[in-house]
Amino acid sequence: MQGFGGRVAFITGGGSGVGLGLAKVFSAAGANVVLADVRRDALEQAIQWFHQRGAPAHAIQLDVTDRRAMAAAADETERVFGPVTLLFNNAGVSVFGPLERASYDDHDWMMSVNYGGVVNGIQTFVPRMIATRARAHIVNTASVAAFRGTSMAGIYCASKFAVRGLSEALRDALAPYEIGVSILCPANVNTNIAHSVLTRPGHLGGYEVSQTMKEALEILYAKGMDPIVLAEHVKAAVERNDLYIIPFPEERQNLSRYFERVLQAIPPDSSDLEGAAARRRAMTDYIRTRDGLALKQRES
Ligand code: NAI
């Protein structure tokens, strides 16, 4: 996608960190930005930056797990700026703890925000994007944790694996509509994610986050990439319609070790590569034809 002037960008988690960085960079490139965030205080502070510059921006308090509220936010965005053609499903939370001592609440919260929020963003905006027939682009924020499971961040990793899988499939599904999909996989970024627990709903319990843990995480994230620098990488990647956005050279070795381990599980010298590829093609054709028929039957 080239040229962001006048486009409408909807950014979840836009009140802080990566989301706010994206808002600033795409605003500077001419987009009208909507910051959607569950934290009113973060939104009020963030929106000042745009108002001071006379940049078109609008803040909406939104919990991405609330499907009705997401639809209402889409309606509000259309009333204020028009249809969304840049969607950033970015809101996310992270609380660390031993996986074997996780509660259902830990699973429910992290999965519903990190994965459920992306699902709700897609379900809400994709039909609208298809209806407007304009070129559009979606960036879903996963993480480098989408490639490896670690026990202290087990649920977070699972949520990000899910975002990655869904996004790869979505890219395929939306290509015919000229809607691009990219997967943002940051490593360490200098944001407020160490304070995630502040947004955990009151009715959900879960991992205790001690002051010591919070301070250690603050120090760790403070060493991370500047969100503006990350957002500039995202802008370039959207222009090129890249599938993956992982502008962290230090991750190359980790990922190559990871994929090497996966490849080692596969016996060498598959005798029938062409046959396997043909079977995969036949299966895809079958599903497409069958779905096409089902659609026609429903329409008639
Ligand atoms: P952040 O905490 O600075 O920003 C996240 C924003 O999401 C916050 O303003 C928060 O209020 C909002 N949020 C949380 N729950 C929400 C909900 N239910 N509905 C709407 N908004 C909600 O953290 P950061 O780092 O900017 O996080 C953005 C994304 O980047 C997340 O998906 C995170 O998993 C991902 N990420 C961050 C990394 C880092 O090192 N900071 C590394 C890898 C991925």
Side-chain angles (χ1 to χ4, degrees):
M1 171 187 278
Q2 298 292 323
F4 301 108
R7 287 190 175 277
V8 180
F10 187 91
I11 305 161
T12 69
S16 169
V18 174
L20 182 54
L22 290 166
K24 288 178 179 173
V25 164
F26 280 85
S27 166
N32 302 323
V33 296
V34 175
L35 317 181
D37 202 292
V38 75
R39 287 189 65 172
R40 180 172 289 284
D41 57 341
L43 280 177
E44 280 169 1
Q45 210 187 325
I47 202 76
Q48 300 291 337
W49 188 92
F50 301 90
H51 289 165
Q52 279 158 8
R53 286 160 181 78
H58 182 68
I60 300 178
Q61 190 175 15
L62 169 72
D63 179 345
V64 293
T65 68
D66 183 338
R67 293 173 177 166
R68 260 203 231 163
M70 181 79 88
D75 291 341
E76 183 174 330
T77 301
E78 286 171 10
R79 277 197 305 275
V80 175
F81 287 137
V84 170
T85 55
L86 279 169
L87 172 64
F88 297 92
N89 289 310
N90 165 78
V93 290
S94 165
V95 173
F96 293 93
L99 188 54
E100 72 280 11
R101 275 189 254 145
S103 64
Y104 278 119
D105 282 357
D106 285 311
H107 282 273
D108 289 348
W109 179 48
M110 277 186 261
M111 289 304 291
S112 69
V113 177
N114 295 359
Y115 177 65
V118 175
V119 170
N120 295 344
I122 290 167
Q123 293 290 111
T124 302
F125 286 98
V126 165
R128 294 171 191 242
M129 285 176 166
I130 291 175
T132 58
R133 291 170 184 269
R135 266 174 189 256
H137 201 96
I138 299 171
V139 178
N140 293 332
T141 303
S143 164
V144 287
F147 293 99
R148 54 174 186 260
T150 51
S151 74
M152 288 296 281
I155 305 167
Y156 181 80
C157 294
S159 70
K160 297 301 187 176
F161 269 61
V163 169
R164 180 162 79 88
L166 185 73
S167 307
E168 282 199 356
L170 190 68
R171 182 172 167 102
D172 246 23
L174 297 187
Y177 302 96
E178 298 202 81
I179 301 173
V181 177
S182 301
I183 310 168
L184 173 58
C185 297
N188 197 14
V189 192
N190 183 5
T191 71
N192 295 309
I193 200 160
H195 302 276
S196 281
V197 75
L198 293 175
T199 61
R200 183 162 65 192
H203 68 280
L204 294 179
Y207 290 135
E208 289 295 326
V209 184
S210 68
Q211 191 54 28
T212 322
M213 163 85 98
K214 224 189 281 174
E215 281 164 13
L217 289 175
E218 272 171 19
I219 293 167
L220 171 76
Y221 291 117
K223 295 194 175 115
M225 184 183 276
D226 183 331
I228 296 286
V229 175
L230 180 62
E232 290 288 359
H233 284 291
V234 174
K235 181 160 81 72
V238 171
E239 283 166 348
R240 293 188 300 259
N241 190 20
D242 290 350
L243 170 58
Y244 279 106
I245 312 170
I246 317 178
F248 296 84
E250 68 274 18
E251 288 300 319
R252 174 171 289 278
Q253 208 179 18
N254 290 333
L255 283 181
S256 69
R257 256 192 247 123
Y258 170 83
F259 284 112
E260 197 46 50
R261 234 182 29 233
V262 175
L263 291 175
Q264 272 167 11
I266 304 171
D269 292 323
S270 171
S271 50
D272 188 19
L273 284 178
E274 278 186 19
R279 280 195 295 280
R280 264 199 309 276
R281 271 198 308 276
M283 178 59 89
T284 311
D285 288 349
Y286 169 75
I287 293 169
R288 289 229 166 100
T289 315
R290 194 200 54 186
D291 286 355
L293 286 176
L295 273 179
K296 271 190 204 135
Q297 275 165 2
R298 241 181 285 150
E299 280 161 9
S300 60

